[in-house]
């Protein structure tokens, strides 16, 4: 059941994956198979992170590290270090993120755990890009900041060219087109976005097509194309902002504000400004809570092998 849950996760069937992993975890705990239970908890922590359910992520990480003391070379050690690295990256703590990622990579390499190594490579790019996109909603990014994200993407692409892992390659394509956006290359972004949206199989499983539709409208607006107010409203109505991840909600709200400003319609601008303000406040709270947990997690475990090198 654990293997089925992991397979569903990599096929982007996250709902079914979570259910199977939960069952595997409960059965393992019932039969006192600590290693299996810990493995399932580590996987569930990743699912929770992907859903921005950080309270659940905290709980599963605690379970993963408490139920099974597999030592510094265990799968659980590598996976937990990777997730903590991602949290540190989102919180704007790059040195801590790099330290945790290096530890995770070292452990995964020793284990021959290719899946974890691939996840580390991709997630470093995705987390850095996510933070850069949020920051771009409030200020202009420096050339150095954009170059740093580009360098991370280039490293990840080089790795996945060698492994020929197509689903992750498609995720990196999305990262690349969004870097075009950070650089103000809206024509290139729009062309790449149109190509990307034609790949329905990956789009349905991994991305919100309504948000990509808003992103497309944003690019058109930046290129000076005329956008009918009714069409803009229809696109907005398709986006369920409440269901978006906290950072994606801010980005989507900011894009909607930029389109509204181009429309020069006070009612649309006012609504978009309110949406962005609410979304940014919610994200700030999320980051603060995540940062607090990160500090407490290291403090609680600074005598264990898991954090000794990173505390």
């Amino acid at each position: 059941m654990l293997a089925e849950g992991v397979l569903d996760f990599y096929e982007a069937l996250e709902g079914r994956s979570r259910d199977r992993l939960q069952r595997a975890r409960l059965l393992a705990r019932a039969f006192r198979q600590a290693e299996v239970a810990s493995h399932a908890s580590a996987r569930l922590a990743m699912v929770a992170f992907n859903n921005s359910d950080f309270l659940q992520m905290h709980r599963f990480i605690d379970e993963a590290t408490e139920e099974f003391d597999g030592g510094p070379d265990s799968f659980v050690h590598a996976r937990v270090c990777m997730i903590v690295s991602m949290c540190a990256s989102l919180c704007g703590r790059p040195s801590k993120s790099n330290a945790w990622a290096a530890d995770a990579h070292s452990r995964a390499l020793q284990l021959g755990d290719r899946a974890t190594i691939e996840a580390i490579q991709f997630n470093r790019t995705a987390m850095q890009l996510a933070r850069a996109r949020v920051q771009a909603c409030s200020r202009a990014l420096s050339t150095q900041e954009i170059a740093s994200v580009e360098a991370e993407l280039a490293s990840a692409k080089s790795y996945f060219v060698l492994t020929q892992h197509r689903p992750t390659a498609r995720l990196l394509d999305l990262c690349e087109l969004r870097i075009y956006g950070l650089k103000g290359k809206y024509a290139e972004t729009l062309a790449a976005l149109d190509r990307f949206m034609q790949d329905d199989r990956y789009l349905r499983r991994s991305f919100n097509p309504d948000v990509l539709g808003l992103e497309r409208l944003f690019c058109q607006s930046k290129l000076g194309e005329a956008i009918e107010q009714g069409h803009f409203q229809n696109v907005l109505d398709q986006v369920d902002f409440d269901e978006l991840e906290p950072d994606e909600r801010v980005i989507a709200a900011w894009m909607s504000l930029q389109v509204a400003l181009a429309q020069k319609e006070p009612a649309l601008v006012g609504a978009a400004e309110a949406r962005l303000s609410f979304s940014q406040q919610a994200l700030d709270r999320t980051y603060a809570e995540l940062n607090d947990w990160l500090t407490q997690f290291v403090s609680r475990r600074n005598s264990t092998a898991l954090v000794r090198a990173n505390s």
Side-chain angles (χ1 to χ4, degrees), residues 41 55 89 97 165 170 176-177 185 191 225 249 268 288 293 306:
S41 293
L55 289 177
S89 181
S97 177
H165 190 256
R170 294 296 290 142
E176 185 169 35
L177 77 85
K185 296 183 176 181
E225 295 184 19
R249 189 184 307 139
L268 289 175
W293 170 81
L306 179 64

Side-chain angles (χ1 to χ4, degrees), residues 137-148:
C137 295
S138 58
R139 64 174 177 83
L141 297 180
S142 69
T143 302
Q144 292 83 355
E145 286 174 310
I146 296 174
S148 177

